[in-house]
């Protein structure tokens, strides 16, 4: 499985998301991970969205946020050996995080949880067919 592409402004998350999806495939056990020369199909994916929205405000100050919702979205296609697309779709992982001193650091620390949710959804779609 090649490393996912990344069209977002979040740097270096493609390796995290790709490795999380690989681990989920291994845990699920429906498909076996192989190199491209031995594979029946190749999963090609691109991270297309990283969103952050306020979930909870500071009491008495609606402009200050104490908790954010984080979403991570991927578009994918499963391509057979013949180059034809077997299936295509998208998956989104969600989590929330509390704000400490640095929102960017807190978001980066929450990214693995959103990535896990995304991986579960993506692998479920491919293994169960919906």
């Amino acid at each position: 499985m090649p490393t996912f592409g990344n069209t977002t402004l979040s740097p270096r998350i493609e390796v995290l998301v790709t490795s999380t999806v690989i681990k989920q495939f291994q845990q699920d056990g429906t498909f076996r991970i192989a190199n491209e020369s031995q594979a029946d199909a190749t999963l090609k994916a691109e991270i297309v969205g990283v969103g952050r929205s306020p979930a909870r405000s500071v009491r008495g100050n609606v402009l200050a946020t104490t908790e954010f919702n984080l979403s991570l979205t991927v578009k994918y296609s499963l391509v057979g050996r013949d180059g034809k697309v077997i299936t295509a779709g998208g998956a989104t992982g969600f989590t929330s995080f509390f704000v400490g001193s640095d929102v960017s650091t807190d978001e980066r620390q929450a990214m693995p949880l959103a990535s896990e949710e995304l991986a579960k959804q993506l692998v479920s779609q491919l293994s169960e067919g919906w």
Side-chain angles (χ1 to χ4, degrees):
M1 177 169 27
T3 303
F4 291 3
N6 181 8
T7 62
T8 70
L9 297 176
S10 297
R12 298 182 304 275
I13 61 171
E14 55 274 8
V15 173
L16 167 71
V17 175
T18 304
S19 64
T20 305
V21 169
I22 289 171
K23 287 176 189 170
Q24 187 62 36
F25 271 120
Q26 291 169 335
Q27 188 174 359
D28 179 75
T30 304
F31 298 105
R32 186 172 57 90
I33 303 295
N35 61 32
E36 279 192 75
S37 64
Q38 297 176 328
D40 294 329
T42 302
L43 180 63
K44 297 185 178 183
E46 188 169 60
I47 302 164
V48 295
V50 175
R52 181 176 70 200
S53 60
R56 195 176 304 184
S57 299
V58 174
R59 182 172 283 165
N61 181 0
V62 295
L63 298 177
T65 303
T66 59
E67 183 181 9
F68 281 100
N69 290 324
L70 177 67
S71 65
L72 185 58
T73 305
V74 165
K75 299 265 185 227
Y76 67 86
S77 60
L78 189 63
V79 181
R81 276 191 184 176
D82 58 2
K84 293 182 181 173
V85 175
I86 298 169
T87 188
T92 304
F94 297 97
T95 192
S96 61
F97 64 94
F98 289 96
V99 179
S101 59
D102 181 21
V103 176
S104 297
T105 301
D106 297 331
E107 180 180 301
R108 216 174 8 256
Q109 290 175 345
M111 199 65 72
L113 294 173
S115 183
E116 278 184 42
E117 283 294 316
L118 181 146
K120 287 176 187 173
Q121 190 181 101
L122 193 155
V123 170
S124 174
Q125 287 175 16
L126 291 175
S127 64
E128 297 174 15
W130 46 279

